[in-house]
Amino acid sequence: MAHHDGAAAVRPLTRAWVSRHLQAGERIVRAEALHGGITAEMWRLTIGARDGGARDLVLRTFVNVEHAEDWLNREAGALTLLTGTGVPAPGLVAVDPTAAHCECPSLLMTRLAGRPVLDDEGLETRVPLLARQLVAIHALRPAVRPRAYAALTTAGTVVVPKGAHAAAWAAAIDVIRGPAPRCAGRFLHRDFQPGNVLFDVPPARPAGARITGVVDWAAASWGPADLDVAHCAANLALLHGPAWGLRFPGAYEEAGGVLAAAASERLYWLVRGGLALSEEVRSVSQPWREAGRAALTTRAVEERLDAYVTALMDAPG
């Protein structure tokens, strides 16, 4: 939904805070709500200058969200770290993690060109691009490491879909009952998936697609590369079918990425990635439908998740 009454669409205190971080002579002339996020309100702000020029910023606001301060501090830290690395991330403009100035905890950043592409068409081109981008992220060696990853899903929190293959799910849940494998740490995005990657796709040449940005760094952390790969693989499985989830680890390795050496360790992370989404099927599928994937009902996504988890448990090795 676009708001054409300019700055009035943004809460008054937040509007004033944004204005204090603009250049001399600039003002908010338009605000447009961006859809697709799960935990935060997102606004595209058009900033007008006295000479008639304009630029866009993005405002991210958490409303009644637990841990908002932590997430915004982590995102601000990640955006600062990523400056000049070659990873196409937004630039940090300002952050108010405790709502000291705004109505709600907020972060202001530059806007990147491109858009998430969630269609099946062109996937053969985009998956290798996703893999290469994730390898580049994992190659970063920050002077100050972010905090260690948190794996919130447990054997007791998994939500088994109705009608799922009971034996496969029971076996999958048993996989994550044990301790996590010891793996080398890497800089993780922690929510790397098609909805958080921006593409430029020439209308007449889908094969010419290129990545223009990676967004939503609020969960950036330190941990095994397998964790990011598993999360992206599970999202691909739900968005485009289980076969695409099964293919992604191979694409990551073809791009130069290194995964856990033992098959059992790889399985642990892949299973954990799939089971984690069992708790979020409704929340992840709604933005996909809003983006035009109307067939991805909650039930349809549950069925794909069941097929993916079953395929992981049936895979040889």
Side-chain angles (χ1 to χ4, degrees):
M1 178 177 64
H3 297 272
H4 299 286
D5 55 351
V10 181
R11 294 176 179 86
L13 293 178
T14 304
R15 183 170 67 243
W17 174 76
V18 170
S19 297
R20 289 197 294 274
H21 290 92
L22 301 180
Q23 298 173 11
E26 288 187 327
R27 63 187 182 89
I28 306 171
V29 297
R30 187 169 183 267
E32 178 183 353
L34 300 176
H35 297 292
I38 296 175
T39 58
E41 289 183 1
M42 302 290 292
W43 293 91
R44 173 181 174 178
L45 305 180
T46 300
I47 309 301
R50 288 173 180 167
D51 62 4
R55 63 186 178 116
D56 287 336
L57 299 176
V58 173
L59 173 67
R60 179 180 178 91
T61 295
F62 288 99
V63 181
N64 297 323
V65 175
E66 191 177 7
H67 307 305
E69 178 181 354
D70 176 55
W71 285 359
L72 288 181
N73 279 325
R74 291 171 72 177
E75 181 156 31
L79 296 184
T80 300
L81 180 154
L82 291 163
T83 301
T85 63
V87 173
L92 177 66
V93 177
V95 62
D96 181 15
T98 62
H101 307 285
C102 305
E103 285 86 351
C104 303
S106 299
L107 183 144
L108 186 66
M109 59 191 140
T110 59
R111 179 179 177 271
L112 301 175
R115 61 181 178 86
V117 181
L118 306 181
D119 300 330
D120 290 336
E121 183 182 4
L123 199 55
E124 287 278 1
T125 297
R126 297 197 307 276
V127 164
L129 295 178
L130 289 169
R132 287 199 290 271
Q133 184 61 73
L134 190 53
V135 169
I137 291 170
H138 291 165
L140 297 177
R141 296 294 182 267
V144 178
R145 292 181 181 179
R147 71 181 61 185
Y149 76 92
L152 302 180
T153 300
T154 68
T157 60
V158 172
V159 180
V160 180
K162 182 179 179 180
H165 293 73
W169 279 76
I173 292 171
D174 278 343
V175 167
I176 68 167
R177 288 187 194 277
R182 295 178 64 86
C183 299
R186 295 288 184 268
F187 179 73
L188 304 181
H189 181 283
R190 199 61 182 92
D191 191 16
F192 187 88
Q193 42 91 3
N196 284 331
V197 180
L198 309 180
F199 283 89
D200 173 49
V201 182
R205 195 167 59 91
R210 64 184 182 90
I211 290 177
T212 58
V214 181
V215 298
D216 195 353
W217 294 87
S221 49
W222 189 261
D226 290 73
L227 192 57
D228 264 355
V229 171
H231 181 69
C232 189
N235 275 272
L236 287 170
L238 271 54
L239 260 174
H240 305 294
W244 286 103
L246 297 173
R247 288 174 60 173
F248 188 68
Y252 178 83
E253 290 185 301
E254 289 173 8
V258 178
L259 296 173
S264 60
E265 294 175 348
R266 296 186 184 206
L267 179 64
Y268 175 92
W269 296 112
L270 289 171
V271 167
R272 178 169 283 286
L275 297 185
L277 287 186
S278 76
E279 304 173 40
E280 303 174 350
V281 168
R282 189 177 301 275
S283 61
V284 301
S285 60
Q286 181 177 343
W288 294 343
R289 291 193 298 275
E290 292 174 351
R293 299 294 307 275
L296 293 180
T297 62
T298 299
R299 184 57 188 155
V301 173
E302 286 178 337
E303 290 173 350
R304 285 187 172 183
L305 179 59
D306 177 35
Y308 177 60
V309 170
T310 300
L312 287 175
M313 299 312 298
D314 287 345

